[in-house]
């Protein structure tokens, strides 16, 4: 590692150095990341130097901006932090962002232009890691996976060479990086299409937990006919030490959804309603998720159909959230240009979340088993959690193609994704 310290401009920390444990810790504080070293890359040249060093010495590199999707599969690897690779540039409706950029930065720049990126619920998630895993957005029902909007990747390949990857320059690698994860190259910047959002409506309605069944019935009814511009998420919430709640989170790509939400407005007992015109930059305020690192654990399932009563017959404690997302729309249709993130036949997803503990793990397993008759067995790659495998995110043909490409482009296993396709 002394040789590496002389090679890169950024900070290099190894076991015993002050700040090493803090530097190797991901946003998901419950995930341990044992690593040989941590490198804070200053620029793409640092990334190339680290990859070249790893290849020369038979080591592996795993890249991470924040660690929202950390798996802990880092034993013996150099953890390459890309958070200093910043910069947001927008021209003619196309954004170029560095690998360390978070979604909140993109939305703040795009919103005043009447545009939006395909962001998820949190403004502090890194654009690159999210997009490499497909990226399930508030606006995916209208515009598909976030990875479908990528035009180009700037990256360092397993030989340590800088490359620009497009559908024309390298169609196989371009296909894999559009939703196949970070097993194939270390991405240093992305270029992707932004989408029109001159008007955005959104917010949250909240009721006490005893309205959960009524809200769920309305959710099933409205999502069965919802236009692609409307996205609804149903949330059972348990505030630690507080009462149980049920929420409806909504976005609509337009000025107002008209009578589309009238079914929910008829449910009495509403405790709060923040719906209204929403700046794109305030998208993260809908769910208002914690942005500081936290020791959480979760599980996602894709649902072929919605359960009738399993959500209400099972105790929620000690979980803090059970979220059902409406999918469908563009997510169910093949994307122009294609990508490893395949269409989703499943119309809904369920995500279970709690503070990491043995009791939480048992509750997640129990509720997951109760949902099993309704689940397809597939999971979105970007929502895999520690202990899961990439194989559950892809069809057999797609997984075989990804593994073939990994063997061809990185036979020595220099680049290791959070959830490697070759595991």
């Amino acid at each position: 590692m002394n040789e590496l310290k002389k090679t890169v401009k950024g900070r290099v920390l190894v076991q015993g150095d002050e700040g090493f444990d803090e530097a190797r810790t991901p946003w998901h504080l419950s995930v341990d990341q044992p690593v040989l070293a941590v490198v804070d890359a200053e620029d793409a040249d640092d990334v190339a130097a680290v990859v070249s060093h790893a290849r020369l010495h038979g080591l592996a590199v795993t890249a991470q901006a924040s660690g929202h999707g950390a798996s802990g599969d880092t034993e013996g690897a150099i953890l390459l932090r890309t958070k200093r690779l910043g910069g947001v540039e927008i021209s003619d409706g196309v954004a170029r962002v560095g690998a360390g950029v978070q979604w909140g930065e993109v939305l703040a720049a795009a919103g005043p232009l009447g545009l939006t990126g395909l962001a998820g619920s949190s403004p502090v998630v890194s654009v690159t890691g999210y997009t490499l895993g497909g990226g399930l957005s508030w606006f995916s029902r209208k515009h598909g996976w976030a990875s479908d909007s990528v035009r180009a990747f700037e990256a360092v390949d397993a030989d340590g060479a800088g490359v620009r990857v497009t559908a024309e320059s390298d169609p196989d690698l371009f296909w894999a990086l559009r939703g196949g994860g970070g097993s194939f190259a270390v991405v240093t910047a992305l270029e992707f299409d932004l989408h029109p959002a001159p008007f955005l409506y959104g917010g949250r309605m909240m009721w006490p937990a005893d309205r959960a069944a009524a809200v769920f019935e309305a959710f099933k009814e409205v999502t069965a006919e919802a236009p692609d511009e409307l996205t609804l998420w149903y949330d059972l919430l348990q505030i630690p030490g507080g009462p149980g709640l049920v929420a409806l989170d909504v976005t609509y790509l337009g000025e107002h959804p008209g009578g589309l939400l009238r079914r929910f407005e008829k449910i009495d007992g509403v405790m709060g309603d923040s719906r209204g015109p929403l700046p794109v930059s305030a998208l993260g305020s809908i769910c208002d998720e914690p942005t500081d690192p936290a020791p959480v654990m979760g599980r996602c399932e894709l649902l072929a159909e919605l359960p009738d009563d399993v959500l209400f017959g099972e105790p929620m404690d000690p979980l803090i959230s059970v979220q059902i997302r409406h999918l469908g729309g563009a997510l169910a249709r093949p994307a122009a240009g294609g990508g490893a993130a395949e269409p989703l036949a499943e119309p809904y997803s369920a995500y279970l979340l709690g503070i990491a503990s043995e009791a939480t793990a048992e509750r997640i397993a129990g509720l997951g088993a109760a949902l099993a008759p309704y689940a397809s067995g597939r999971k979105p790659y970007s929502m895999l959690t520690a202990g899961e495998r990439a194989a559950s995110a892809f069809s057999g043909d797609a997984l075989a193609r990804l593994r073939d490409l990994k063997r061809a482009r990185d036979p020595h296993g220099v680049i290791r994704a959070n959830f490697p396709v070759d595991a």
Side-chain angles (χ1 to χ4, degrees):
M1 292 301 115
N2 286 332
E3 177 185 334
L4 184 60
K5 289 181 179 181
K6 297 175 182 177
T7 304
V8 302
K9 297 183 286 293
R11 183 181 66 164
V12 179
L13 296 175
V14 298
Q15 182 72 46
D17 288 344
E18 183 178 355
F20 173 75
D21 283 335
E22 180 182 358
R24 71 181 179 88
T25 301
W27 188 92
H28 272 295
L29 297 179
S30 58
V31 177
D32 183 42
Q33 293 193 139
V35 296
L36 288 176
V38 181
V39 179
D40 286 319
E42 289 287 346
D43 52 28
D45 288 339
D46 269 4
V47 173
V50 172
V51 174
S52 296
H53 178 88
R55 187 177 188 280
L56 179 64
H57 294 281
L59 302 174
V61 173
T62 187
Q64 193 174 91
S66 64
H68 278 78
S71 68
D73 186 17
T74 56
E75 186 74 48
I78 298 171
L79 178 61
L80 180 58
R81 291 289 194 187
T82 58
K83 60 186 177 183
R84 297 185 184 180
L85 277 65
V88 178
E89 303 169 11
I90 298 176
S91 178
D92 296 326
V94 177
R96 181 193 178 276
V97 305
V101 169
Q102 299 176 339
W103 269 115
E105 300 172 68
V106 176
L107 298 180
L113 303 176
L115 300 169
T116 185
L118 301 186
S121 56
S122 173
V124 300
V125 169
S126 72
V127 176
T128 296
Y130 167 95
T131 304
L132 287 173
L136 192 57
S137 172
W138 271 115
F139 311 127
S140 285
R141 283 178 38 75
K142 179 65 175 177
H143 298 295
W145 295 102
S147 57
D148 295 340
S149 293
V150 176
R151 289 191 173 198
F153 299 89
E154 296 173 26
V156 173
D157 67 17
D159 293 325
V163 294
R164 178 177 169 81
V165 183
T166 67
E168 293 74 30
S169 70
D170 192 336
D172 288 335
L173 184 55
F174 184 70
W175 172 86
L177 292 175
R178 289 178 100 198
S183 290
F184 313 96
V186 178
V187 173
T188 57
L190 293 173
E191 291 180 16
F192 55 90
D193 289 324
L194 299 172
H195 297 276
F199 301 101
L200 176 63
Y201 175 97
R204 165 175 280 184
M205 300 181 73
M206 187 92 72
W207 297 264
D210 62 8
R211 300 296 193 278
V215 177
F216 193 58
E217 286 302 312
F219 177 78
K220 288 195 290 186
E221 179 182 310
V222 175
T223 56
E225 302 292 339
D228 293 353
E229 291 79 8
L230 178 67
T231 297
L232 302 178
W233 297 351
Y234 171 90
D235 291 279
L236 292 174
L237 302 170
Q238 179 62 59
I239 301 172
L245 301 167
V246 59
L248 178 80
D249 297 326
V250 55
T251 62
Y252 179 75
L253 283 166
E255 288 190 71
H256 193 281
L260 292 172
L261 301 178
R262 190 168 294 123
R263 179 72 172 77
F264 298 99
E265 294 163 355
K266 294 179 179 179
I267 301 173
D268 63 4
V270 65
M271 300 169 60
D273 187 351
S274 65
R275 294 175 301 151
L278 191 71
V280 166
S281 60
L283 193 63
S285 68
I286 297 175
C287 294
D288 197 24
E289 296 169 346
T291 56
D292 292 333
V296 295
M297 62 195 312
R299 173 172 170 175
C300 182
E301 298 287 352
L302 290 171
L303 304 180
E305 60 179 302
L306 287 177
D308 292 325
D309 57 6
V310 67
L311 295 175
F312 318 114
E314 296 282 333
M316 190 169 165
D317 285 341
L319 300 186
I320 56 178
S321 172
V322 175
Q323 182 187 76
I324 307 294
R325 296 188 180 188
H326 184 209
L327 307 178
L331 283 167
R333 301 187 288 268
E342 301 170 289
L344 293 180
E346 301 89 342
Y348 299 94
S349 70
Y351 192 76
L352 319 175
L353 181 71
I355 300 299
S357 69
E358 186 174 324
T360 297
E362 291 178 357
R363 185 83 295 273
I364 287 176
L367 190 51
L371 286 170
Y374 309 93
S376 69
R378 269 185 83 190
K379 300 171 185 285
Y381 185 95
S382 62
M383 299 184 81
L384 294 174
T385 57
E388 295 181 329
R389 297 169 65 87
S392 64
F394 305 103
S395 68
D397 289 345
L399 184 62
R401 183 177 174 184
L402 289 168
R403 287 174 170 171
D404 286 345
L405 187 67
K406 177 65 174 177
R407 286 190 290 267
R409 302 299 181 93
D410 187 15
H412 303 293
V414 176
I415 297 171
R416 186 187 302 174
N418 271 328
F419 296 92
V421 298
D422 50 337

